[in-house]
Amino acid sequence: MAEQQEKVTMDIMEIRKWLPHRYPFLLIDRIIDLVPDSYIVAIKNVTANEHFFEGHFPEKPVMPGVLICEAMAQTTVCTLYPYVRDHVKDFSNGIEVAFLGMDKIRF
């Protein structure tokens, strides 16, 4: 039988320790399911009064694609969290992770 992988979750406080982004550019609120080397599921709570809805199709508000891409990039960086948590023992010099790009993005 295959070994069961650890399911990881992260609340906003843990995400804030891991990502340098802050409001209004922190675009994920929770990681509800992260299985290392497999998949990740994140949540961004969005309300109708978000500032970007004011000018982005105001009659039919849509979250701008560039913000969706940024949220996906932030989520992707969080996939490294379990590895770093388990293998990097000395954070005294800090740790920085950068997402470098996306190709062929279409909406």
Side-chain angles (χ1 to χ4, degrees):
M1 183 177 246
E3 185 179 318
Q4 193 84 10
Q5 286 205 348
E6 169 194 17
K7 178 180 172 181
V8 177
T9 61
M10 295 171 72
D11 64 16
I12 190 63
M13 299 310 290
E14 196 66 31
I15 292 168
R16 287 173 53 99
K17 290 179 198 172
W18 184 240
L19 294 177
H21 306 79
R22 295 295 178 261
Y23 178 84
F25 293 107
L26 181 56
L27 295 174
I28 56 175
D29 294 317
R30 282 185 289 154
I31 303 295
I32 59 170
D33 196 359
L34 189 175
V35 175
D37 300 322
S38 186
Y39 66 90
I40 186 168
V41 178
I43 291 179
K44 167 63 179 161
N45 297 313
V46 179
T47 63
N49 63 348
E50 299 283 347
H51 68 280
F52 47 79
F53 287 142
E54 293 176 24
H56 200 261
F57 304 106
E59 299 302 314
K60 296 184 187 273
V62 175
M63 188 167 177
V66 69
L67 296 180
I68 294 170
C69 288
E70 177 61 26
M72 290 189 302
Q74 291 175 20
T75 300
T76 300
V77 169
C78 288
T79 63
L80 299 174
Y81 170 78
Y83 174 79
V84 173
R85 178 200 62 200
D86 294 344
H87 295 92
V88 177
K89 301 302 178 198
D90 181 12
F91 284 92
S92 62
N93 291 327
I95 186 167
E96 291 185 22
V97 177
F99 185 88
L100 299 178
M102 294 182 176
D103 294 326
K104 299 182 183 179
I105 302 299
R106 292 182 48 155
F107 289 92

